[in-house]
Amino acid sequence: METNSVSRVSEGDERRADAIVEAAGRLFFTPGFAPVSMDELARELGMSKKTIYRHFPDKRSLLAAVLDRQFAAVEDTLVAAAQDAEGQPFDVRVHRFLVAAGTELGRIGAAQLATGRGGDAMLRQYVEQRVDTVIYRRIDELFRHGHREGLLTAPPELLFEITRGALERLFTSRLPHDLDWTAADLLRATVDTVLYGAIRPTREDVRPGAAIPAARDDDKEVNP
């Protein structure tokens, strides 16, 4: 009987903690990332702050739990995207994965969180580490795989840095507003540019490749 009672209490506590994390996620990740107080969270849940603090001793620990849930969802989405594109040509697999990754980064506001805007600035390093583990390591591995298969005309390290910089800059820029494009459209254009370039060849038989550095001139013997 005691075991069952303890089990019921534990299950009830777990459900309450899940409800707190879910409500906190809705509030913390609203557009604009307005600061959310524990008082507001308590009102949203219809419970006292004392109850919240019994599960999460401070706001930082609650934010960490919210981010854990968010990044678990991101990981599930990216795994599903990779599985759906399995067996497709390499560029299709890269395209689908990058669109999924960029969409998830935008959805959770990773760029704003990593720069300390929205949420707790003390969690900046935590956010950066999770983004690196869940998203960027996968992108790096994808490009390196393409390189091993002889499918890339540029070094995978270069493509990775370009892609990472483009994704991070995209979500903190005014381009969607200035171009009157949706974020999703701008993301697809960015991915297409990384994969296929932005300049159309003037003739169908001309397909300019990436400029791979050759030997330096000063390393060669120069004849007068």
Side-chain angles (χ1 to χ4, degrees), residues 6-66:
V6 170
S7 177
R8 284 196 297 272
V9 170
S10 298
E11 290 174 1
D13 285 346
E14 185 175 344
R15 285 195 298 270
R16 190 174 294 110
D18 284 343
I20 293 170
V21 172
E22 183 178 350
R26 288 197 305 270
L27 292 177
F28 292 152
F29 287 92
T30 54
F33 296 93
V36 177
S37 69
M38 298 299 272
D39 287 319
E40 291 172 300
L41 180 57
R43 284 196 297 272
E44 172 76 11
L45 287 163
M47 65 177 61
S48 67
K49 285 196 298 181
K50 183 178 179 181
T51 301
I52 297 174
Y53 283 126
R54 189 166 69 241
H55 295 279
F56 302 96
D58 50 42
K59 190 174 180 179
R60 186 182 184 191
S61 63
L62 176 55
L63 274 169
V66 170

Side-chain angles (χ1 to χ4, degrees), residues 128-145:
E128 291 174 347
Q129 289 173 345
R130 293 306 302 271
V131 170
D132 280 342
T133 300
V134 174
I135 294 180
Y136 290 133
R137 284 187 187 177
R138 283 184 165 89
I139 294 175
D140 183 53
E141 290 169 1
L142 195 55
F143 283 136
R144 290 180 185 277
H145 172 75

Side-chain angles (χ1 to χ4, degrees), residues 10-223:
S10 298
E11 290 174 1
D13 285 346
E14 185 175 344
R15 285 195 298 270
R16 190 174 294 110
D18 284 343
I20 293 170
V21 172
E22 183 178 350
R26 288 197 305 270
L27 292 177
F28 292 152
F29 287 92
T30 54
F33 296 93
V36 177
S37 69
M38 298 299 272
D39 287 319
E40 291 172 300
L41 180 57
R43 284 196 297 272
E44 172 76 11
L45 287 163
M47 65 177 61
S48 67
K49 285 196 298 181
K50 183 178 179 181
T51 301
I52 297 174
Y53 283 126
R54 189 166 69 241
H55 295 279
F56 302 96
D58 50 42
K59 190 174 180 179
R60 186 182 184 191
S61 63
L62 176 55
L63 274 169
V66 170
L67 289 168
D68 280 340
R69 176 171 294 192
Q70 292 287 334
F71 278 107
V74 169
E75 192 160 18
D76 289 343
T77 298
L78 296 184
V79 169
Q83 290 175 344
D84 289 343
E86 192 171 349
Q88 294 292 325
F90 180 71
D91 63 322
V92 173
R93 284 158 38 213
V94 173
H95 188 281
R96 292 186 182 177
F97 187 86
L98 291 183
V99 169
T103 300
E104 289 299 292
L105 281 172
R107 181 182 66 79
I108 67 173
Q112 291 86 345
L113 288 167
T115 56
R117 294 194 297 273
D120 190 335
M122 295 180 68
L123 293 169
R124 181 181 308 169
Q125 185 177 4
Y126 172 84
V127 172
E128 291 174 347
Q129 289 173 345
R130 293 306 302 271
V131 170
D132 280 342
T133 300
V134 174
I135 294 180
Y136 290 133
R137 284 187 187 177
R138 283 184 165 89
I139 294 175
D140 183 53
E141 290 169 1
L142 195 55
F143 283 136
R144 290 180 185 277
H145 172 75
H147 177 68
R148 289 193 298 270
E149 296 295 317
L151 301 173
L152 300 178
T153 60
E157 298 88 351
L158 174 62
L159 290 174
F160 171 74
E161 289 299 327
I162 292 172
T163 303
R164 177 172 184 158
L167 289 175
E168 291 181 351
R169 184 69 182 93
L170 176 62
F171 293 111
T172 58
S173 76
R174 286 181 48 83
L175 272 181
H177 176 269
D178 293 342
L179 297 177
D180 195 24
W181 284 16
T182 66
D185 287 340
L186 196 58
L187 173 63
R188 287 183 175 84
T190 302
V191 172
D192 285 345
T193 301
V194 171
L195 289 179
Y196 309 117
I199 300 176
R200 295 186 180 93
T202 55
R203 302 202 318 268
E204 289 186 2
D205 59 335
V206 177
R207 302 293 298 178
I212 305 300
R216 290 174 48 187
D217 290 340
D218 56 6
D219 290 337
K220 302 176 182 178
E221 182 179 351
V222 179
N223 294 320

